[in-house]
Structure formats: C-alpha cells, structure tokens
C-alpha cells in the first residue's frame, strides 16, 4: 500500500504502512542545538513552538480531509490527502525525531494510515488516539465511521466490491484497477524508468573532502573483506550515489527503507536458501521500490521486474488467469536463481551479476569482451547507460541499509512484515467467496495475490494468500460448502442463539437448503453457507420500528437488539440493561469503552 508514489511519498503505505499507506519516513535535518548550553532566547523558543504547532495543524488538516474523502468512498483523493499529511512532516525542515510532540504524532500517524490500508482485527485503527496525541479535533462520529469502513475492508459501495460476486474483470492485467484499503491498486511506474534518466549534479559528484575520503576508505575495506556478504570494488561513483541519497534522493531512500519491511524477511530467507548473499536482495528496492505492481516501459513487472521472456525462463507462468512475475514468493525465488546463474557465469562477480540482471547477459558479455576484463568498472564504459547507474545505485543502497544511522536514515522504521496464510482452493473459485470466508475484502485479497489477473482463481486447484490467522476458518467453510456450487453461494455471519429458521427468514433460503449446504452443522455457528439462485439475493436487515430508544427492536433466541442513547458507552448501556459489558462488547465487535451513536442498534444477551 501505497501512499507514497514512486516520485512522491506514500505512507503505507504508510501503510500502508505502516503502515499505513504506502510509505513513510522523516526528513533528516541538521540540529540547531550547540554542543554547549542552549542559547535560544524566549522569542526564538516561542517561534520554534509556533512552527511545531503549524506543522501539526497542517498535517491534521490534510488527514481530516482524507477521512472525509474516505467516508465518501473517494479513495484516490483520500490516498493523496494522507500522503500530504505525511509530507508535511517530511518537508518541514524540522528534525521530527528530536521533538517529542512531533515524533509521537508522526509515529502514530504512520501507524494509523497503515492500519487503514491493511486492516487487522487484532490491531484496529485508532483515529481517536491519533487525534489525542496530535491535538487534532476529529469528531467522534467521523472517527467511528472510518473505523467501521476499515473493519469492513475499507470499501463502501465500490465498483470492485460490486464485482466481488465473481464476474471476472477484463482479462488484460494492464487494465485491472482494484482497491487496497482506501487506495487504488493498479500498475505503477517502475523506479528504473527514472533511474535511467538520472544525472548527478555537481554537489553529488564532489567526494573530495577529508570526511568523504575517510568514508571511501572504510567502505573499500568492507568491500574487500566481504563484510556485506560478498566482495565488491569501491568506486567514486558509489560514493556519489551516497551523496545523492543524503540529498535530493533522500525521500526515495526513506520510502524504500520503509517499504522494505513488507518483504525483506521473505527475500532474505529465499536468497539464503538459494545460496545468494542476503544483502543482494536490496536489488529489489532499486528495481521496484518494493511495489508488487510496479511495471516498467520495457514490460518488466513485479517486485523483481521480470520481462516476460526471462520470467518464463525461470518458471513464472503468464496466462489469461495469472502473471506470476507479480507473485511474492515465486518471483523472489526466480530472482535469486537468476542472480545465482549470472554470478556463476561471471566467476562469482556479483557486480557483473547485477549488471546482467538489468541489461541481460548478452550485453554484459559484449562489454567484457570490449574491455578485455571480467571487472565491472572496466566494462562500465561499454554498458548501457541505465546499467551504469544501476549497479552503483544498488551498492549505495546496500551500504545505507546496513548502516542507516551513519547516513542519516536511523529514524526510518521499516514497515511490519506482510503476514498472511496460504490456502489451496478449488479451481475457478471467486475471490468474493474467499473474501467472505476470510472476513476480508476482495480488494485486500487482490493486494495479497497481485499475480491474479481477475477476481476468479485459475481453472485449477490454486494456492491463495489470505489474512493471517484465518486459514482454518476458510478451509472449514469451503469444505462445508462442497454440497453447493462454490460460485453460487454466499456466507452469512451468525450470532449466538440464532437458528436455521431465523437465518431462513433473513435470506429467503429454505431451512432444508441451508442445512444441505452446511452438512454436519446441527445448529448455525460462525459463518454459514447460503446457497444462492440466479444472480443473487437481496440483502435483508432487521426492521427499525419507531419507539422509545430503550425498547428492544428485535428479539431472537438469546439475543435482544436495543438502541443506544447519544454519547452512551458499551459499559453504560450494559449497566442500563443489567448485563455484562464484556458480553455486549463481544457480541457487537466493540470494546467496553466504545462510545455509541444515538439510535445505534446494539445486541445484548437476553435475560
């Protein structure tokens, strides 16, 4: 998730991420403190305090605007607003990490955006907490509304949600647009396209200072000693890229270091298993900025930017149903194997292997022949321009990633590792059904399974990724539904005490058909399979008869539905009806301290 676009900033994905949203980071600013006692005057202190308030207020204004856009289902605008909210901190010129108030506000903002793009029942989005920490006045009604949207997957009446009934979208993956949390998922420009045009400026090419000469020597020794897991030859151009990332390329590095948290644990493991130095996996940051949907002008796609031919060569299928170049694990393993092949081809020289990964072994072979040496820097003048930028860029990225504090990136907190379960489903299973079974959205499943080219799995048993901790539920539900057509059914959530008769009234499906669709289930528990005929059934809801707010609106066996008073909490409502607050909270997916809207229908245990 990506709040930070290739040229811009994204929390999540900041998650996003982190979350949230596409990405997050904090600008590094030179400290204004001297080595001795502070010499700030009261006027300067007041001015600094006003600047801090201004940063917080500006960020809060964009954040609240994003909440309203998300509430109105304008996800693209919401994404942009959340990006701007984060950018206020990054562009402020203030060292956020050295100011307690800004640091706490910024960190909570990143966490909140991440939780919105990647919803988790274990760690729900806490907009009220963010409001309190940052001093933003966010209405309780708005915070609760967004929390409800996020709990449902962040989609409200979206075209993608409507499509989740199983109708496949256009078979051309290039035209697919889906939603992750509140943001649109589509192909994004690969950072390689910009890298090929990059020209270092005069400040970046200046490496002739005593401090930089000392830095050069330290890195040279590390390269010779294989301190980073492989040997490499230090060169002035590598140091120039270090200068670039400490200057105008800072945001690009911050975004990459943040997003690396999603995938680096997996990448390190797979590279290690394939016998490739783990640090070489940082190649993924330069290739895609860790975006599974990245695509270059050359039709290279995925985290590791395989073109169709090379992807096919390493077992990545590309059919009308899937494009495994965008798979997390399969493409990562293919990347490691290709790099291992290239390193073996060039006698263990990983610089030449990286070059070959970018421009193909044919170009590297020709450059070596012209240079008369199997040395990257000797072959450098004969390589394509993009490749000449590519290799020193990766080396600089690896150096920074292994010592972020040294280069001014110690403040960047990598996003949480992307966690998921894997479940084998029957052929041609709709993501709508899997989403219901795993209590998530079709859009989030599309994010977890970017290799799928439509909302239906391939016509073969297929392994899909689902939110972590939900595999057993999905397997149980799919097994229960074997008596019906998998693509012709829905799932319904049940409450304690509900009966087949009650569910039949709500869905319009006979008790006999419900029992047949859920073999072995004597009474409805959890999520039950509801067979659907035709194009689907109309959703039904409990009626809302007029009357006193404390009058129950519906009674089911063991359950009473009542209306809350304005400003009432779950605990106060439970006390009013003489029931346990914990039971009420559990029945309604809330916590005892949750504040309720006036008129909200709440389930409570019947006496």
């Amino acid at each position: 998730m990506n709040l930070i676009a290739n040229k811009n900033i994204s929390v999540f994905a900041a998650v996003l991420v982190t979350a949230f949203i596409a990405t997050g980071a904090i600008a590094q600013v030179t400290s204004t403190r001297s080595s001795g006692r502070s010499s700030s005057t009261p006027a300067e202190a007041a001015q600094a305090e006003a600047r801090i308030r201004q940063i917080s207020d500006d960020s809060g204004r964009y954040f609240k605007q994003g909440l309203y856009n998300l509430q109105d289902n304008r996800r693209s605008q919401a994404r942009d607003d959340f990006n701007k909210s984060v950018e206020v901190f990054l562009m402020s010129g203030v060292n956020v990490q050295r100011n307690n108030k800004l640091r706490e506000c910024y960190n909570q903002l990143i966490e909140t955006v991440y939780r919105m793009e990647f919803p988790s029942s274990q760690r729900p989005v806490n907009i009220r907490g963010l409001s309190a920490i940052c001093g933003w006045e966010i209405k309780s009604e708005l915070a609760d509304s967004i929390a409800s949207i996020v709990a449902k997957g962040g989609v409200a009446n979206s075209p993608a949600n409507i499509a989740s009934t199983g109708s496949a979208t256009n078979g051309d993956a290039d035209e697919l647009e889906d939603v992750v949390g509140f943001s649109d998922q589509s192909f994004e420009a690969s950072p390689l396209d910009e890298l090929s045009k990059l020209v270092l400026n005069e400040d970046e090419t200046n490496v002739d200072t005593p401090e930089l000469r000392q830095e050069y020597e330290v890195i040279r020794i590390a390269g010779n000693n294989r301190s980073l897991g492989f040997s490499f030859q230090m060169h002035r151009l590598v140091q120039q890229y270090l200068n670039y990332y400490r200057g105008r390329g800072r945001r690009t590095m911050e975004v990459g270091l943040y997003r690396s948290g999603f995938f680096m644990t997996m990448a390190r493991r797979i590279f290690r298993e394939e016998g490739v130095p783990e640090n070489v996996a940082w190649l993924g940051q330069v290739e895609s900025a860790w975006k599974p949907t990245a695509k270059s002008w050359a039709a290279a796609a995925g985290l590791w930017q395989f073109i169709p031919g090379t992807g096919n060569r390493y077992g990545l299928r590309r059919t009308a149903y899937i494009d495994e170049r965008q798979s997390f694990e399969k493409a990562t393993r293919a990347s490691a194997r290709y790099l291992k092949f290239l390193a073996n081809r060039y006698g263990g020289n990983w610089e030449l292997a990286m070059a070959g990964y970018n421009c193909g072994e044919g170009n590297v072979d020709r450059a070596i022949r012209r240079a008369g040496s199997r040395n990257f820097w000797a072959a450098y003048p004969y390589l394509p321009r993009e490749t000449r930028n590519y290799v020193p860029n990766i080396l600089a990225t690896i150096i920074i990633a292994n010592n972020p504090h040294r280069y001014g990136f110690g403040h960047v907190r990598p996003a949480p590792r992307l966690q998921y379960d894997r479940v084998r489903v029957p052929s041609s299973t709709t993501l709508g059904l899997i989403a219901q079974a795993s209590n998530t959205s079709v859009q989030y499943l599309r994010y977890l399974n970017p290799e799928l080219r439509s909302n239906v799995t391939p016509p073969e048993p297929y392994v899909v990724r689902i939110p972590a901790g939900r595999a057993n539920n999905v397997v149980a539900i799919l097994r229960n539904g074997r008596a019906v057509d998998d693509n012709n059914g829905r799932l319904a959530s049940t409450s304690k005490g509900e009966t087949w008769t009650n569910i039949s009234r709500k869905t319009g499906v006979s008790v006999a058909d419900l029992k047949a669709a859920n073999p072995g289930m004597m009474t409805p528990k959890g999520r039950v399979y509801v067979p659907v005929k035709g194009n689907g059934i109309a959703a039904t809801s409990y009626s809302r008869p007029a009357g006193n707010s404390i009058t129950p609106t519906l009674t089911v066996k063991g359950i009473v539905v009542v209306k809350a008073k304005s400003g009432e909490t779950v605990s106060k409502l439970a006390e009013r009806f003489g029931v346990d607050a914990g039971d009420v909270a559990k029945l309604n997916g809330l916590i005892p301290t949750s504040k309720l809207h006036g008129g909200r229908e709440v389930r409570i245990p019947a006496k």
Side-chain angles (χ1 to χ4, degrees), residues 180-192:
V180 180
F182 53 78
S183 63
D184 295 336
Q185 180 188 6
S186 59
F187 280 101
E188 304 171 77
S190 165
L192 288 177

Side-chain angles (χ1 to χ4, degrees), residues 81-342:
D81 288 332
F82 292 134
N83 281 346
K84 291 175 181 176
S85 181
V86 175
E87 284 182 342
V88 168
F89 287 94
L90 300 179
M91 303 298 292
S92 67
V94 172
N95 192 324
V96 176
Q97 292 302 299
R98 290 187 177 178
N99 181 279
N100 291 337
K101 181 178 179 180
L102 289 185
R103 181 179 65 251
E104 292 177 5
C105 179
Y106 176 85
N107 290 341
Q108 187 64 29
L109 173 63
I110 294 295
E111 179 72 13
T112 302
V113 176
Y114 175 77
R115 293 299 161 197
M116 283 193 287
E117 187 160 3
F118 301 105
S120 167
S121 58
Q122 286 75 32
R123 300 187 66 180
V125 62
N126 186 6
I127 295 173
R128 293 191 183 191
L130 173 66
S131 177
I133 289 173
C134 296
W136 298 341
E137 295 182 1
I138 298 176
K139 295 180 179 179
S140 299
E141 294 80 2
L142 177 60
D144 291 343
S145 172
I146 297 301
S148 177
I149 291 172
V150 172
K152 295 176 182 177
V155 287
N157 303 320
S158 68
N161 196 34
I162 295 171
S164 68
T165 55
S167 300
T169 56
N170 192 318
D172 186 352
D174 294 358
E175 298 180 9
L176 291 178
E177 283 197 6
D178 291 300
V179 179
V180 180
F182 53 78
S183 63
D184 295 336
Q185 180 188 6
S186 59
F187 280 101
E188 304 171 77
S190 165
L192 288 177
D193 292 344
E194 290 298 317
L195 175 64
S196 64
K197 306 171 188 176
L198 181 63
V199 177
L200 297 173
N201 61 36
E202 184 177 348
D203 289 338
E204 292 157 355
T205 57
N206 180 17
V207 294
D208 291 324
T209 67
E211 181 184 22
L212 293 179
R213 285 195 292 270
Q214 182 181 12
E215 177 182 90
Y216 180 98
E217 185 62 19
V218 170
I219 298 173
R220 185 189 67 79
I221 294 173
N224 291 340
N225 293 342
R226 301 174 57 90
S227 298
L228 296 176
F230 64 99
S231 62
F232 63 92
Q233 182 180 342
M234 184 54 179
H235 190 275
R236 290 168 60 90
L237 191 57
V238 176
Q239 198 164 27
Q240 291 170 11
Y241 272 96
L242 292 174
N243 285 348
Y244 166 74
Y245 283 123
R246 283 182 286 207
R248 61 186 174 121
R250 170 171 295 281
R251 287 168 57 187
T252 300
M253 179 58 65
E254 289 174 331
V255 170
L257 292 177
Y258 173 82
R259 291 190 60 85
S260 70
F262 291 127
F263 302 106
M264 267 304 281
T265 299
M266 172 200 68
R268 285 184 179 278
R269 172 181 58 80
I270 291 176
F271 274 50
R272 182 170 61 251
E273 291 171 354
E274 295 295 334
V276 177
E278 293 180 31
N279 271 318
V280 175
W282 286 103
L283 172 147
Q285 179 158 315
V286 176
E287 286 284 346
S288 68
W290 303 111
K291 297 175 182 178
T293 54
K295 187 174 183 179
S296 76
W297 65 270
L303 288 172
W304 305 98
Q305 291 292 285
F306 277 100
I307 60 174
T310 308
N312 182 66
R313 177 174 154 193
Y314 282 87
L316 301 178
R317 294 185 298 163
R318 191 167 183 263
T319 70
Y321 305 97
I322 56 173
D323 185 347
E324 290 182 338
R325 295 179 301 160
Q326 292 179 257
S327 167
F328 299 156
E329 303 89 349
K330 290 181 180 179
T332 301
R333 194 168 295 280
S335 173
R337 289 176 176 173
Y338 185 31
L339 283 163
K340 183 68 174 294
F341 161 79
L342 291 167

Side-chain angles (χ1 to χ4, degrees), residues 449-461:
N449 299 273
E451 69 271 27
L452 294 179
R453 302 185 74 171
S454 75
N455 288 343
V456 181
T457 64
E460 62 189 49

